[in-house]
Structures are given as C-alpha cells and as structure tokens.
Amino acid sequence: QQPVQSPQAVILREGEDAVINCSSSKALYSVHWYRQKHGEAPVFLMILLKGGEQKGHEKISASFNEKKQQSSLYLTASQLSYSGTYFCGSRGLSGNTGKLIFGQGTTLQVKP
Amino acid sequence: DAGVIQSPRHEVTEMGQEVTLRCKPISGHDYLFWYRQTMMRGLELLIYFNNNVPIDDSGMPEDRFSAKMPNASFSTLKIQPSEPRDSAVYFCASSGGQGFHNQPQHFGDGTRLSIL
C-alpha cells in the first residue's frame, strides 16, 4: 500500500524551514527518503529504521514514529539546492521485504 | 566507482515496435529493481530481482512487459508490442543485499521512452 505524503507542494524562501510527512496504514520496518531534481534520477538521502532516528544529509534530518506509522523529513535553513521532489519509500514488516513502495512525492521549491 | 548504467537514455519508436531497455547494476549489488515514472502514477515498482532471480513481478502492467537478468551484471526490460501509454521514464536501481532494510537504492539516469 502506497504511503501518503503531505503536503503535496511547498514553496519556501531561502533560510526557511520545512517539514514533509510520510504516513502508512501498515506497520513499517523502515522508511527511505530520496530527492529527485527535474530531469534527473532520485538520489538517496537517508534511511529511518524501526526504533531509530538518523541524520544523514546536509541540514536535513528525519524521524520515525512507530506508533503513528509516520516519518517526517525536516529541512532547516533551506538552500536553493534543496529544490526538487522528495519521495518517501516504505518497507513493511513482512512479506516481500525487499520491496520499497514510494509515496506520490512532495515538490519543494526554494526561492531566493 | 561507476553507478548504475542504463541504455539507451532516450528512445522514440512507433507503436507496435519492440523496445528493449538495458541496465548494468553496481558491481557487488545483488538486488536490482525496475521502476516506471509518470506524472499520473508516480514512481512504480515493476519488478525486482535478488541474485538474478525475479522475486516480485506484481507491478508488471501486462504480458507485453517482460524482464530478465541473465547474470549479475546485466538486466533487460522488454516491451512487445509497445503502446503510446507505455511512454514514461524507466529507472533501474540496485542495492546491496546484506541488511537490505538499511541499504539505499542507487538509481540509474533512466531511459525516457516515447511511443508514437
């Protein structure tokens, strides 16, 4: 089942902060975050594992709330280079655990 | 190190023709994924392989689509016959297998396919 991302789109000024949420109706083992710039391939940002929080990229961090089956991506002091579409991908606890299901994406635009 | 390599980068062909997309995963990665991306449907997983064996092909839209991985360094996605609704960007990705829950997927640059 596809995770749901919110908001669908965000427009920021340089230096502002943003939060992107990713929710699933099924129990999750891990959540992956990727960023895709226009015309390019998705690029890995970080992975959140069940029970853990990981900060992995520039001023971008994320959390994983197991009870809510939700992950949030935090972008602080945004830069122009943060613009792009952010995807979360979820892996379930059972079944085909090699499979990653991506959300519909959140488009982020950072303006000068 | 070389990343995931896909070819061709662009393909334009007429409806009914056979299309073959190619992918070379990162050396040592034992998972390979094929995705399709469109504005309407987003990023969809079509099929994935583990150690050259197809594990889940439930995302393959119909019998016109087929995928193979004859060895650890090569995979193909074939569409025969192609239709205009197959127009999309097709990505190949690979990842290491050990502890796959915390292994990132590395994407190739994609093949932009247009069926006229």
Side-chain angles (χ1 to χ4, degrees):
Chain A
Q1 193 138 5
Q2 185 181 41
V4 177
Q5 291 184 231
S6 62
Q8 288 190 343
V10 184
I11 300 176
L12 299 174
R13 293 285 181 189
E14 261 187 305
E16 292 181 338
D17 302 340
V19 179
I20 300 172
N21 297 308
C22 174
S23 298
S24 173
S25 59
K26 291 192 171 183
L28 298 175
Y29 191 91
S30 65
V31 176
H32 297 218
W33 286 97
Y34 291 77
R35 177 171 64 204
Q36 184 179 29
K37 293 186 180 286
H38 183 69
E40 299 181 7
V43 173
F44 169 75
L45 292 177
M46 65 187 74
I47 293 174
L48 282 300
L49 300 178
K50 184 173 180 288
E53 173 174 334
Q54 181 174 339
K55 179 185 291 187
H57 200 276
E58 300 169 350
K59 293 181 182 178
I60 301 173
S61 62
S63 63
F64 185 7
N65 186 319
E66 294 172 43
K67 286 186 178 179
K68 292 184 178 180
Q69 299 301 332
Q70 177 176 299
S71 178
S72 297
L73 187 71
Y74 307 96
L75 301 99
T76 58
S78 58
Q79 305 167 19
L80 295 176
S81 61
Y82 286 9
S83 294
T85 300
Y86 289 78
F87 293 95
C88 68
S90 62
R91 274 209 171 103
L93 287 173
S94 61
N96 279 326
T97 51
K99 191 172 180 175
L100 196 63
I101 307 298
F102 283 96
Q104 80 278 18
T106 295
T107 300
L108 177 71
Q109 184 180 1
V110 181
K111 294 185 172 182
Chain B
D1 289 341
V4 175
I5 299 172
Q6 290 187 246
S7 64
R9 289 294 309 277
H10 302 273
E11 176 87 12
V12 180
T13 191
E14 292 188 348
M15 181 175 65
Q17 296 298 307
E18 178 179 291
V19 174
T20 300
L21 310 182
R22 297 173 176 80
C23 176
K24 176 179 170 56
I26 293 173
S27 178
H29 281 188
D30 52 2
Y31 279 87
L32 184 139
F33 307 84
W34 281 102
Y35 291 92
R36 177 173 68 177
Q37 187 174 38
T38 61
M39 288 295 293
M40 290 296 294
R41 301 176 68 90
L43 195 58
E44 301 175 274
L45 177 66
L46 300 178
I47 185 171
Y48 79 93
F49 296 83
N50 179 217
N51 291 322
N52 312 336
V53 176
I55 302 300
D56 185 342
D57 64 356
S58 59
M60 296 287 262
E62 45 198 277
D63 292 345
R64 298 184 297 106
F65 285 70
S66 63
K68 293 182 179 179
M69 192 164 185
N71 58 62
S73 59
F74 184 66
S75 177
T76 59
L77 178 68
K78 190 171 291 187
I79 308 173
Q80 167 62 22
S82 57
E83 296 183 4
R85 60 194 168 119
D86 301 331
S87 297
V89 180
Y90 291 80
F91 288 105
C92 175
S94 71
S95 72
Q98 291 186 355
F100 51 75
H101 277 290
N102 59 0
Q103 294 297 319
Q105 292 187 14
H106 299 267
F107 284 76
D109 289 334
T111 295
R112 186 172 296 275
L113 178 64
S114 295
I115 309 296
L116 307 177

